[in-house]
Amino acid sequence: MKISQFWDDAIVPSLVDYIRIPAKSPHFDKAWSKNGYIDAAVELAAGWCRKHAVPGMKLEVLRLEGRTPVLLIEIPAFQSSSKETVLMYGHLDKQPEMVGWREGYGPWDPLIKDGKLYGRGGADDGYAVFCALSAIRALREDKRPHARIVILIECCEESGSYDLPAYLDMLEPRIGVPALVVGLDSGCGNYEQLWSTTSLRGLINGVLTVEVLTEGVHSGDASGVVASSFRIARTLLERIDAADTGIVKHAAFHAQVPPERAGQARRAAQVLGEEIWRKFPFVPDMQPMQEDLADLVLNRTWRPFLAVTGADGLPPPASAGNVLRPKTELVLSLRLPPTVKADSAAQQLKAILEADPPYGARVTFQAGHAGTGWHAPQNAAWLEKAVNDSSKAHYGKPAMWMGEGGTIPFMAMLGIKYPQAQFLITGVLGPHSNAHGPNEFLHIDYAKRLTSCVADVLAAHAVRS
């Protein structure tokens, strides 16, 4: 059965069922084990894989005590004498609902419209396991070779993959040393060609707390005597980035952009044009932070930027009286260049924020997740050719190479664990697909073509090895 038809008949209906499961990552569902949604998502995927298994395939759902489950699939080589292993990766846990879904759309209410499957998790990253196995099935049906393949699907990625190292250690004898890693949890600059991810930014998040009083007091009585905790927080944030430009100040959070990546950013800017920034839902008259398009690509892939993603201690406007509040809490998210070590950067961030607090206020920064980014090794000639040829064959255009702004902790783990491996990191998160936000969608036709490209790369690896 051809890949496109197989997607229509077998994959899309199962993805519709998957979207209905609120399998929120443990960070967003502390009672995930009791609620059972993650287990339900894993069982759905495992059941589908069993139904569509290829000869010799072994499937197992692994559950370490107190940890989210992992789906492991081992597939022997086919028409190939290669002794190498390919590792394919995806995840089944999801981001939370998020407000702002359009009328008639919802995170757990799948909807197919204009060739897009809307709902939480379809593109990030539920499609991955279906894509991986269907690519292998296509190779078998066409009598094309592939090496031994291990598919690893986790359920903790959206929480920083903190459960994954224990599984990697346990599974090391079964996985072996991959020669090629295919990650299916990344993005694409457009829906017109294959995009391969060359780097991922790192991340530090945590909570900045500024306390000035033990309880709130009348603002008319206290303002001018007691400094506002919010103003102090503003002052502290100014230590990190400039309010007028957003540029992060400290060298500890920066890295030199490799010339090859700068060149790829320029080429991506030429191909994508203003879609680089127009893909975001700007309010009328809002403009991007810079005019130069290549700079915008590098901003979101190789440069650090700070965002405040949450707050506490601030009542909603309808309940806000004339009170000088006792404290302000801000959730900070600092994106890091791919090569900056997140743990040491987190220590620097804490030291900068907590040093010499204004007015002697009580200031603490409680770091949460610190994840180092990832920078791909130099592509082997066979991989670059296979990726480019498959893009031309299935999209009619050459492949593109670009960094991504998000963080996939698994890639950093593998980069350290398997430094000699080649990497094809790709995905379906293109313009307006809105992972983590409202109205997330999977572009079905793009995913079909991507599956064909993945099959081509697997075959090229087998022939080359």
PDB file of all heavy atoms in Angstrom, residues 18-19 94-97 101-102 105-107 111 116-126 158 428-429 432-443:
ATOM      1  N   TYR A  18      -5.946   9.413  19.045  1.00  0.00           N
ATOM      2  CA  TYR A  18      -4.864   9.848  19.936  1.00  0.00           C
ATOM      3  C   TYR A  18      -5.101  11.273  20.441  1.00  0.00           C
ATOM      4  O   TYR A  18      -4.889  11.579  21.617  1.00  0.00           O
ATOM      5  CB  TYR A  18      -3.538   9.740  19.194  1.00  0.00           C
ATOM      6  CG  TYR A  18      -2.400  10.487  19.829  1.00  0.00           C
ATOM      7  CD1 TYR A  18      -1.748  10.005  20.962  1.00  0.00           C
ATOM      8  CD2 TYR A  18      -1.967  11.700  19.294  1.00  0.00           C
ATOM      9  CE1 TYR A  18      -0.699  10.702  21.537  1.00  0.00           C
ATOM     10  CE2 TYR A  18      -0.923  12.398  19.860  1.00  0.00           C
ATOM     11  CZ  TYR A  18      -0.286  11.901  20.985  1.00  0.00           C
ATOM     12  OH  TYR A  18       0.748  12.606  21.551  1.00  0.00           O
ATOM     13  N   ILE A  19      -5.526  12.148  19.566  1.00  0.00           N
ATOM     14  CA  ILE A  19      -5.755  13.543  19.962  1.00  0.00           C
ATOM     15  C   ILE A  19      -6.812  13.639  21.057  1.00  0.00           C
ATOM     16  O   ILE A  19      -6.742  14.502  21.938  1.00  0.00           O
ATOM     17  CB  ILE A  19      -6.136  14.387  18.722  1.00  0.00           C
ATOM     18  CG1 ILE A  19      -4.881  14.633  17.861  1.00  0.00           C
ATOM     19  CG2 ILE A  19      -6.779  15.725  19.126  1.00  0.00           C
ATOM     20  CD1 ILE A  19      -5.166  15.277  16.529  1.00  0.00           C
ATOM     21  N   LYS A  94       1.997  15.278  25.918  1.00  0.00           N
ATOM     22  CA  LYS A  94       1.509  16.490  25.275  1.00  0.00           C
ATOM     23  C   LYS A  94       1.640  17.710  26.188  1.00  0.00           C
ATOM     24  O   LYS A  94       1.722  17.596  27.402  1.00  0.00           O
ATOM     25  CB  LYS A  94       0.024  16.333  24.903  1.00  0.00           C
ATOM     26  CG  LYS A  94      -0.310  15.122  24.064  1.00  0.00           C
ATOM     27  CD  LYS A  94      -1.797  15.096  23.725  1.00  0.00           C
ATOM     28  CE  LYS A  94      -2.185  13.832  22.973  1.00  0.00           C
ATOM     29  NZ  LYS A  94      -3.602  13.861  22.543  1.00  0.00           N
ATOM     30  N   GLN A  95       1.605  18.862  25.558  1.00  0.00           N
ATOM     31  CA  GLN A  95       1.468  20.125  26.270  1.00  0.00           C
ATOM     32  C   GLN A  95       0.028  20.283  26.773  1.00  0.00           C
ATOM     33  O   GLN A  95      -0.880  19.603  26.296  1.00  0.00           O
ATOM     34  CB  GLN A  95       1.817  21.283  25.335  1.00  0.00           C
ATOM     35  CG  GLN A  95       3.304  21.462  25.109  1.00  0.00           C
ATOM     36  CD  GLN A  95       3.999  22.165  26.255  1.00  0.00           C
ATOM     37  OE1 GLN A  95       3.491  23.133  26.817  1.00  0.00           O
ATOM     38  NE2 GLN A  95       5.184  21.677  26.612  1.00  0.00           N
ATOM     39  N   PRO A  96      -0.193  21.191  27.733  1.00  0.00           N
ATOM     40  CA  PRO A  96      -1.566  21.399  28.223  1.00  0.00           C
ATOM     41  C   PRO A  96      -2.442  22.112  27.200  1.00  0.00           C
ATOM     42  O   PRO A  96      -1.985  22.482  26.118  1.00  0.00           O
ATOM     43  CB  PRO A  96      -1.354  22.243  29.481  1.00  0.00           C
ATOM     44  CG  PRO A  96      -0.074  22.957  29.252  1.00  0.00           C
ATOM     45  CD  PRO A  96       0.792  22.000  28.470  1.00  0.00           C
ATOM     46  N   GLU A  97      -3.694  22.329  27.584  1.00  0.00           N
ATOM     47  CA  GLU A  97      -4.714  22.775  26.637  1.00  0.00           C
ATOM     48  C   GLU A  97      -4.401  24.122  25.986  1.00  0.00           C
ATOM     49  O   GLU A  97      -4.505  24.269  24.771  1.00  0.00           O
ATOM     50  CB  GLU A  97      -6.070  22.876  27.355  1.00  0.00           C
ATOM     51  CG  GLU A  97      -6.601  21.562  27.865  1.00  0.00           C
ATOM     52  CD  GLU A  97      -6.092  21.188  29.246  1.00  0.00           C
ATOM     53  OE1 GLU A  97      -5.064  21.754  29.691  1.00  0.00           O
ATOM     54  OE2 GLU A  97      -6.709  20.317  29.879  1.00  0.00           O
ATOM     55  N   TRP A 101      -8.338  28.706  21.552  1.00  0.00           N
ATOM     56  CA  TRP A 101      -8.747  27.895  20.402  1.00  0.00           C
ATOM     57  C   TRP A 101      -9.933  28.550  19.698  1.00  0.00           C
ATOM     58  O   TRP A 101     -10.836  29.084  20.336  1.00  0.00           O
ATOM     59  CB  TRP A 101      -9.123  26.488  20.846  1.00  0.00           C
ATOM     60  CG  TRP A 101      -7.941  25.690  21.318  1.00  0.00           C
ATOM     61  CD1 TRP A 101      -7.312  25.799  22.523  1.00  0.00           C
ATOM     62  CD2 TRP A 101      -7.235  24.688  20.586  1.00  0.00           C
ATOM     63  NE1 TRP A 101      -6.256  24.929  22.591  1.00  0.00           N
ATOM     64  CE2 TRP A 101      -6.183  24.222  21.415  1.00  0.00           C
ATOM     65  CE3 TRP A 101      -7.391  24.121  19.327  1.00  0.00           C
ATOM     66  CZ2 TRP A 101      -5.289  23.230  21.008  1.00  0.00           C
ATOM     67  CZ3 TRP A 101      -6.509  23.133  18.919  1.00  0.00           C
ATOM     68  CH2 TRP A 101      -5.467  22.698  19.754  1.00  0.00           C
ATOM     69  N   ARG A 102      -9.906  28.514  18.385  1.00  0.00           N
ATOM     70  CA  ARG A 102     -11.011  29.089  17.622  1.00  0.00           C
ATOM     71  C   ARG A 102     -12.299  28.315  17.887  1.00  0.00           C
ATOM     72  O   ARG A 102     -12.264  27.141  18.263  1.00  0.00           O
ATOM     73  CB  ARG A 102     -10.689  29.066  16.119  1.00  0.00           C
ATOM     74  CG  ARG A 102      -9.516  29.954  15.733  1.00  0.00           C
ATOM     75  CD  ARG A 102      -9.464  30.167  14.232  1.00  0.00           C
ATOM     76  NE  ARG A 102      -9.107  28.958  13.509  1.00  0.00           N
ATOM     77  CZ  ARG A 102      -7.860  28.604  13.200  1.00  0.00           C
ATOM     78  NH1 ARG A 102      -6.850  29.363  13.585  1.00  0.00           N
ATOM     79  NH2 ARG A 102      -7.622  27.497  12.507  1.00  0.00           N
ATOM     80  N   TYR A 105     -13.014  24.439  17.476  1.00  0.00           N
ATOM     81  CA  TYR A 105     -11.755  23.714  17.590  1.00  0.00           C
ATOM     82  C   TYR A 105     -11.456  23.511  19.078  1.00  0.00           C
ATOM     83  O   TYR A 105     -11.914  24.270  19.929  1.00  0.00           O
ATOM     84  CB  TYR A 105     -10.601  24.510  16.965  1.00  0.00           C
ATOM     85  CG  TYR A 105     -10.727  24.768  15.486  1.00  0.00           C
ATOM     86  CD1 TYR A 105     -11.680  25.663  14.984  1.00  0.00           C
ATOM     87  CD2 TYR A 105      -9.892  24.143  14.571  1.00  0.00           C
ATOM     88  CE1 TYR A 105     -11.795  25.914  13.624  1.00  0.00           C
ATOM     89  CE2 TYR A 105      -9.987  24.385  13.210  1.00  0.00           C
ATOM     90  CZ  TYR A 105     -10.947  25.279  12.744  1.00  0.00           C
ATOM     91  OH  TYR A 105     -11.056  25.518  11.402  1.00  0.00           O
ATOM     92  N   GLY A 106     -10.669  22.499  19.378  1.00  0.00           N
ATOM     93  CA  GLY A 106     -10.308  22.272  20.774  1.00  0.00           C
ATOM     94  C   GLY A 106      -9.138  21.325  20.884  1.00  0.00           C
ATOM     95  O   GLY A 106      -8.848  20.554  19.953  1.00  0.00           O
ATOM     96  N   PRO A 107      -8.449  21.337  22.021  1.00  0.00           N
ATOM     97  CA  PRO A 107      -7.253  20.497  22.164  1.00  0.00           C
ATOM     98  C   PRO A 107      -7.547  19.012  22.092  1.00  0.00           C
ATOM     99  O   PRO A 107      -6.729  18.233  21.588  1.00  0.00           O
ATOM    100  CB  PRO A 107      -6.710  20.903  23.537  1.00  0.00           C
ATOM    101  CG  PRO A 107      -7.882  21.470  24.271  1.00  0.00           C
ATOM    102  CD  PRO A 107      -8.717  22.141  23.235  1.00  0.00           C
ATOM    103  N   LEU A 111     -10.229  17.719  14.604  1.00  0.00           N
ATOM    104  CA  LEU A 111     -10.991  18.271  13.491  1.00  0.00           C
ATOM    105  C   LEU A 111     -10.095  18.293  12.255  1.00  0.00           C
ATOM    106  O   LEU A 111      -8.971  18.802  12.321  1.00  0.00           O
ATOM    107  CB  LEU A 111     -11.467  19.691  13.811  1.00  0.00           C
ATOM    108  CG  LEU A 111     -12.198  20.439  12.695  1.00  0.00           C
ATOM    109  CD1 LEU A 111     -13.542  19.790  12.402  1.00  0.00           C
ATOM    110  CD2 LEU A 111     -12.382  21.912  13.064  1.00  0.00           C
ATOM    111  N   LYS A 116      -5.650  19.703   7.122  1.00  0.00           N
ATOM    112  CA  LYS A 116      -4.935  19.802   8.393  1.00  0.00           C
ATOM    113  C   LYS A 116      -5.739  19.093   9.479  1.00  0.00           C
ATOM    114  O   LYS A 116      -6.970  19.221   9.541  1.00  0.00           O
ATOM    115  CB  LYS A 116      -4.706  21.259   8.781  1.00  0.00           C
ATOM    116  CG  LYS A 116      -3.947  22.078   7.735  1.00  0.00           C
ATOM    117  CD  LYS A 116      -3.852  23.528   8.171  1.00  0.00           C
ATOM    118  CE  LYS A 116      -3.117  24.373   7.141  1.00  0.00           C
ATOM    119  NZ  LYS A 116      -3.905  24.555   5.903  1.00  0.00           N
ATOM    120  N   LEU A 117      -5.040  18.365  10.338  1.00  0.00           N
ATOM    121  CA  LEU A 117      -5.660  17.705  11.481  1.00  0.00           C
ATOM    122  C   LEU A 117      -5.377  18.533  12.712  1.00  0.00           C
ATOM    123  O   LEU A 117      -4.238  18.614  13.187  1.00  0.00           O
ATOM    124  CB  LEU A 117      -5.105  16.285  11.643  1.00  0.00           C
ATOM    125  CG  LEU A 117      -5.526  15.519  12.905  1.00  0.00           C
ATOM    126  CD1 LEU A 117      -7.040  15.402  13.002  1.00  0.00           C
ATOM    127  CD2 LEU A 117      -4.870  14.147  12.930  1.00  0.00           C
ATOM    128  N   TYR A 118      -6.423  19.166  13.249  1.00  0.00           N
ATOM    129  CA  TYR A 118      -6.289  20.048  14.405  1.00  0.00           C
ATOM    130  C   TYR A 118      -6.473  19.262  15.703  1.00  0.00           C
ATOM    131  O   TYR A 118      -7.289  18.342  15.779  1.00  0.00           O
ATOM    132  CB  TYR A 118      -7.323  21.168  14.349  1.00  0.00           C
ATOM    133  CG  TYR A 118      -7.043  22.220  13.297  1.00  0.00           C
ATOM    134  CD1 TYR A 118      -7.460  22.037  11.978  1.00  0.00           C
ATOM    135  CD2 TYR A 118      -6.359  23.387  13.617  1.00  0.00           C
ATOM    136  CE1 TYR A 118      -7.208  22.991  11.008  1.00  0.00           C
ATOM    137  CE2 TYR A 118      -6.106  24.361  12.651  1.00  0.00           C
ATOM    138  CZ  TYR A 118      -6.532  24.156  11.357  1.00  0.00           C
ATOM    139  OH  TYR A 118      -6.286  25.103  10.390  1.00  0.00           O
ATOM    140  N   GLY A 119      -5.741  19.683  16.718  1.00  0.00           N
ATOM    141  CA  GLY A 119      -5.855  19.074  18.037  1.00  0.00           C
ATOM    142  C   GLY A 119      -4.491  18.943  18.680  1.00  0.00           C
ATOM    143  O   GLY A 119      -3.458  18.936  18.001  1.00  0.00           O
ATOM    144  N   ARG A 120      -4.483  18.838  20.005  1.00  0.00           N
ATOM    145  CA  ARG A 120      -3.226  18.813  20.733  1.00  0.00           C
ATOM    146  C   ARG A 120      -2.475  17.497  20.539  1.00  0.00           C
ATOM    147  O   ARG A 120      -3.029  16.422  20.749  1.00  0.00           O
ATOM    148  CB  ARG A 120      -3.482  19.050  22.224  1.00  0.00           C
ATOM    149  CG  ARG A 120      -2.261  18.986  23.111  1.00  0.00           C
ATOM    150  CD  ARG A 120      -1.235  20.097  22.799  1.00  0.00           C
ATOM    151  NE  ARG A 120      -1.608  21.348  23.408  1.00  0.00           N
ATOM    152  CZ  ARG A 120      -1.688  22.504  22.732  1.00  0.00           C
ATOM    153  NH1 ARG A 120      -1.423  22.544  21.432  1.00  0.00           N
ATOM    154  NH2 ARG A 120      -2.009  23.612  23.360  1.00  0.00           N
ATOM    155  N   GLY A 121      -1.214  17.620  20.126  1.00  0.00           N
ATOM    156  CA  GLY A 121      -0.313  16.485  20.092  1.00  0.00           C
ATOM    157  C   GLY A 121      -0.173  15.780  18.768  1.00  0.00           C
ATOM    158  O   GLY A 121       0.743  14.973  18.609  1.00  0.00           O
ATOM    159  N   GLY A 122      -1.033  16.043  17.803  1.00  0.00           N
ATOM    160  CA  GLY A 122      -0.916  15.338  16.541  1.00  0.00           C
ATOM    161  C   GLY A 122       0.406  15.615  15.843  1.00  0.00           C
ATOM    162  O   GLY A 122       1.069  14.702  15.342  1.00  0.00           O
ATOM    163  N   ALA A 123       0.803  16.893  15.827  1.00  0.00           N
ATOM    164  CA  ALA A 123       2.066  17.287  15.200  1.00  0.00           C
ATOM    165  C   ALA A 123       3.225  17.241  16.184  1.00  0.00           C
ATOM    166  O   ALA A 123       4.375  17.081  15.781  1.00  0.00           O
ATOM    167  CB  ALA A 123       1.931  18.690  14.605  1.00  0.00           C
ATOM    168  N   ASP A 124       2.916  17.399  17.472  1.00  0.00           N
ATOM    169  CA  ASP A 124       3.948  17.473  18.511  1.00  0.00           C
ATOM    170  C   ASP A 124       3.620  16.517  19.643  1.00  0.00           C
ATOM    171  O   ASP A 124       3.142  16.938  20.686  1.00  0.00           O
ATOM    172  CB  ASP A 124       4.067  18.914  19.029  1.00  0.00           C
ATOM    173  CG  ASP A 124       5.182  19.092  20.032  1.00  0.00           C
ATOM    174  OD1 ASP A 124       6.122  18.279  20.041  1.00  0.00           O
ATOM    175  OD2 ASP A 124       5.108  20.052  20.828  1.00  0.00           O
ATOM    176  N   ASP A 125       3.863  15.220  19.491  1.00  0.00           N
ATOM    177  CA  ASP A 125       4.645  14.592  18.448  1.00  0.00           C
ATOM    178  C   ASP A 125       4.037  13.219  18.154  1.00  0.00           C
ATOM    179  O   ASP A 125       4.734  12.275  17.869  1.00  0.00           O
ATOM    180  CB  ASP A 125       6.095  14.481  18.937  1.00  0.00           C
ATOM    181  CG  ASP A 125       7.046  13.892  17.914  1.00  0.00           C
ATOM    182  OD1 ASP A 125       6.939  14.244  16.735  1.00  0.00           O
ATOM    183  OD2 ASP A 125       7.871  13.067  18.295  1.00  0.00           O
ATOM    184  N   GLY A 126       2.685  13.146  18.273  1.00  0.00           N
ATOM    185  CA  GLY A 126       2.042  11.847  18.162  1.00  0.00           C
ATOM    186  C   GLY A 126       2.236  11.161  16.836  1.00  0.00           C
ATOM    187  O   GLY A 126       2.245   9.924  16.749  1.00  0.00           O
ATOM    188  N   GLU A 158       7.916  16.650  26.999  1.00  0.00           N
ATOM    189  CA  GLU A 158       7.429  18.003  27.274  1.00  0.00           C
ATOM    190  C   GLU A 158       7.724  18.448  28.713  1.00  0.00           C
ATOM    191  O   GLU A 158       7.506  19.603  29.066  1.00  0.00           O
ATOM    192  CB  GLU A 158       5.919  18.098  27.000  1.00  0.00           C
ATOM    193  CG  GLU A 158       5.507  17.757  25.570  1.00  0.00           C
ATOM    194  CD  GLU A 158       5.975  18.777  24.542  1.00  0.00           C
ATOM    195  OE1 GLU A 158       6.689  19.727  24.914  1.00  0.00           O
ATOM    196  OE2 GLU A 158       5.633  18.611  23.354  1.00  0.00           O
ATOM    197  N   VAL A 428       7.242  18.173  11.444  1.00  0.00           N
ATOM    198  CA  VAL A 428       6.114  18.726  10.700  1.00  0.00           C
ATOM    199  C   VAL A 428       5.621  20.060  11.266  1.00  0.00           C
ATOM    200  O   VAL A 428       4.594  20.571  10.852  1.00  0.00           O
ATOM    201  CB  VAL A 428       4.942  17.716  10.688  1.00  0.00           C
ATOM    202  CG1 VAL A 428       5.329  16.450   9.945  1.00  0.00           C
ATOM    203  CG2 VAL A 428       4.492  17.380  12.109  1.00  0.00           C
ATOM    204  N   LEU A 429       6.380  20.604  12.220  1.00  0.00           N
ATOM    205  CA  LEU A 429       5.933  21.837  12.881  1.00  0.00           C
ATOM    206  C   LEU A 429       6.345  23.045  12.054  1.00  0.00           C
ATOM    207  O   LEU A 429       7.383  23.666  12.261  1.00  0.00           O
ATOM    208  CB  LEU A 429       6.516  21.909  14.296  1.00  0.00           C
ATOM    209  CG  LEU A 429       6.021  20.794  15.217  1.00  0.00           C
ATOM    210  CD1 LEU A 429       6.808  20.768  16.509  1.00  0.00           C
ATOM    211  CD2 LEU A 429       4.537  20.954  15.502  1.00  0.00           C
ATOM    212  N   HIS A 432       2.400  28.374  11.373  1.00  0.00           N
ATOM    213  CA  HIS A 432       1.058  28.412  11.958  1.00  0.00           C
ATOM    214  C   HIS A 432       0.616  27.100  12.605  1.00  0.00           C
ATOM    215  O   HIS A 432      -0.508  27.012  13.090  1.00  0.00           O
ATOM    216  CB  HIS A 432       0.006  28.831  10.913  1.00  0.00           C
ATOM    217  CG  HIS A 432       0.376  30.044  10.127  1.00  0.00           C
ATOM    218  ND1 HIS A 432       0.414  31.300  10.679  1.00  0.00           N
ATOM    219  CD2 HIS A 432       0.772  30.187   8.838  1.00  0.00           C
ATOM    220  CE1 HIS A 432       0.791  32.179   9.760  1.00  0.00           C
ATOM    221  NE2 HIS A 432       1.023  31.530   8.631  1.00  0.00           N
ATOM    222  N   SER A 433       1.487  26.082  12.606  1.00  0.00           N
ATOM    223  CA  SER A 433       1.089  24.805  13.213  1.00  0.00           C
ATOM    224  C   SER A 433       0.953  24.914  14.721  1.00  0.00           C
ATOM    225  O   SER A 433       0.258  24.124  15.347  1.00  0.00           O
ATOM    226  CB  SER A 433       2.093  23.703  12.858  1.00  0.00           C
ATOM    227  OG  SER A 433       3.392  24.022  13.319  1.00  0.00           O
ATOM    228  N   ASN A 434       1.651  25.888  15.322  1.00  0.00           N
ATOM    229  CA  ASN A 434       1.334  26.356  16.669  1.00  0.00           C
ATOM    230  C   ASN A 434       1.471  25.289  17.756  1.00  0.00           C
ATOM    231  O   ASN A 434       0.592  25.146  18.619  1.00  0.00           O
ATOM    232  CB  ASN A 434      -0.075  26.955  16.720  1.00  0.00           C
ATOM    233  CG  ASN A 434      -0.102  28.256  17.510  1.00  0.00           C
ATOM    234  OD1 ASN A 434       0.943  28.873  17.701  1.00  0.00           O
ATOM    235  ND2 ASN A 434      -1.268  28.661  17.951  1.00  0.00           N
ATOM    236  N   ALA A 435       2.568  24.568  17.737  1.00  0.00           N
ATOM    237  CA  ALA A 435       2.842  23.641  18.836  1.00  0.00           C
ATOM    238  C   ALA A 435       2.866  24.387  20.155  1.00  0.00           C
ATOM    239  O   ALA A 435       3.370  25.504  20.246  1.00  0.00           O
ATOM    240  CB  ALA A 435       4.184  22.950  18.608  1.00  0.00           C
ATOM    241  N   HIS A 436       2.308  23.804  21.176  1.00  0.00           N
ATOM    242  CA  HIS A 436       2.204  24.346  22.539  1.00  0.00           C
ATOM    243  C   HIS A 436       1.129  25.422  22.662  1.00  0.00           C
ATOM    244  O   HIS A 436       0.793  25.819  23.787  1.00  0.00           O
ATOM    245  CB  HIS A 436       3.539  24.942  23.040  1.00  0.00           C
ATOM    246  CG  HIS A 436       4.651  23.961  23.140  1.00  0.00           C
ATOM    247  ND1 HIS A 436       5.760  24.176  23.942  1.00  0.00           N
ATOM    248  CD2 HIS A 436       4.851  22.763  22.550  1.00  0.00           C
ATOM    249  CE1 HIS A 436       6.593  23.141  23.831  1.00  0.00           C
ATOM    250  NE2 HIS A 436       6.044  22.280  22.979  1.00  0.00           N
ATOM    251  N   GLY A 437       0.600  25.904  21.555  1.00  0.00           N
ATOM    252  CA  GLY A 437      -0.392  26.971  21.619  1.00  0.00           C
ATOM    253  C   GLY A 437      -1.761  26.485  21.187  1.00  0.00           C
ATOM    254  O   GLY A 437      -1.992  25.287  20.983  1.00  0.00           O
ATOM    255  N   PRO A 438      -2.708  27.412  21.021  1.00  0.00           N
ATOM    256  CA  PRO A 438      -4.036  27.024  20.533  1.00  0.00           C
ATOM    257  C   PRO A 438      -3.996  26.720  19.042  1.00  0.00           C
ATOM    258  O   PRO A 438      -3.109  27.186  18.316  1.00  0.00           O
ATOM    259  CB  PRO A 438      -4.877  28.274  20.822  1.00  0.00           C
ATOM    260  CG  PRO A 438      -3.897  29.403  20.756  1.00  0.00           C
ATOM    261  CD  PRO A 438      -2.607  28.856  21.299  1.00  0.00           C
ATOM    262  N   ASN A 439      -4.938  25.921  18.590  1.00  0.00           N
ATOM    263  CA  ASN A 439      -5.115  25.624  17.170  1.00  0.00           C
ATOM    264  C   ASN A 439      -3.933  24.878  16.562  1.00  0.00           C
ATOM    265  O   ASN A 439      -3.631  25.037  15.379  1.00  0.00           O
ATOM    266  CB  ASN A 439      -5.398  26.911  16.378  1.00  0.00           C
ATOM    267  CG  ASN A 439      -6.515  27.720  17.009  1.00  0.00           C
ATOM    268  OD1 ASN A 439      -7.584  27.205  17.289  1.00  0.00           O
ATOM    269  ND2 ASN A 439      -6.248  28.999  17.262  1.00  0.00           N
ATOM    270  N   GLU A 440      -3.279  24.046  17.360  1.00  0.00           N
ATOM    271  CA  GLU A 440      -2.202  23.206  16.823  1.00  0.00           C
ATOM    272  C   GLU A 440      -2.751  22.313  15.718  1.00  0.00           C
ATOM    273  O   GLU A 440      -3.844  21.771  15.836  1.00  0.00           O
ATOM    274  CB  GLU A 440      -1.606  22.333  17.935  1.00  0.00           C
ATOM    275  CG  GLU A 440      -0.523  21.373  17.445  1.00  0.00           C
ATOM    276  CD  GLU A 440      -0.055  20.405  18.517  1.00  0.00           C
ATOM    277  OE1 GLU A 440      -0.221  20.707  19.718  1.00  0.00           O
ATOM    278  OE2 GLU A 440       0.470  19.336  18.150  1.00  0.00           O
ATOM    279  N   PHE A 441      -1.964  22.163  14.628  1.00  0.00           N
ATOM    280  CA  PHE A 441      -2.413  21.261  13.576  1.00  0.00           C
ATOM    281  C   PHE A 441      -1.246  20.482  12.978  1.00  0.00           C
ATOM    282  O   PHE A 441      -0.084  20.885  13.050  1.00  0.00           O
ATOM    283  CB  PHE A 441      -3.176  22.001  12.468  1.00  0.00           C
ATOM    284  CG  PHE A 441      -2.357  22.947  11.615  1.00  0.00           C
ATOM    285  CD1 PHE A 441      -1.450  22.467  10.681  1.00  0.00           C
ATOM    286  CD2 PHE A 441      -2.525  24.323  11.725  1.00  0.00           C
ATOM    287  CE1 PHE A 441      -0.716  23.332   9.878  1.00  0.00           C
ATOM    288  CE2 PHE A 441      -1.793  25.204  10.934  1.00  0.00           C
ATOM    289  CZ  PHE A 441      -0.887  24.703   9.999  1.00  0.00           C
ATOM    290  N   LEU A 442      -1.608  19.363  12.374  1.00  0.00           N
ATOM    291  CA  LEU A 442      -0.699  18.540  11.579  1.00  0.00           C
ATOM    292  C   LEU A 442      -1.062  18.718  10.113  1.00  0.00           C
ATOM    293  O   LEU A 442      -2.209  18.478   9.715  1.00  0.00           O
ATOM    294  CB  LEU A 442      -0.840  17.066  11.984  1.00  0.00           C
ATOM    295  CG  LEU A 442      -0.125  16.044  11.101  1.00  0.00           C
ATOM    296  CD1 LEU A 442       1.370  16.131  11.276  1.00  0.00           C
ATOM    297  CD2 LEU A 442      -0.621  14.627  11.407  1.00  0.00           C
ATOM    298  N   HIS A 443      -0.106  19.147   9.307  1.00  0.00           N
ATOM    299  CA  HIS A 443      -0.304  19.291   7.862  1.00  0.00           C
ATOM    300  C   HIS A 443      -0.180  17.892   7.257  1.00  0.00           C
ATOM    301  O   HIS A 443       0.917  17.341   7.129  1.00  0.00           O
ATOM    302  CB  HIS A 443       0.755  20.241   7.304  1.00  0.00           C
ATOM    303  CG  HIS A 443       0.512  20.707   5.913  1.00  0.00           C
ATOM    304  ND1 HIS A 443       0.539  19.851   4.827  1.00  0.00           N
ATOM    305  CD2 HIS A 443       0.243  21.951   5.415  1.00  0.00           C
ATOM    306  CE1 HIS A 443       0.306  20.548   3.725  1.00  0.00           C
ATOM    307  NE2 HIS A 443       0.124  21.823   4.051  1.00  0.00           N
TER     308      HIS A 443
END
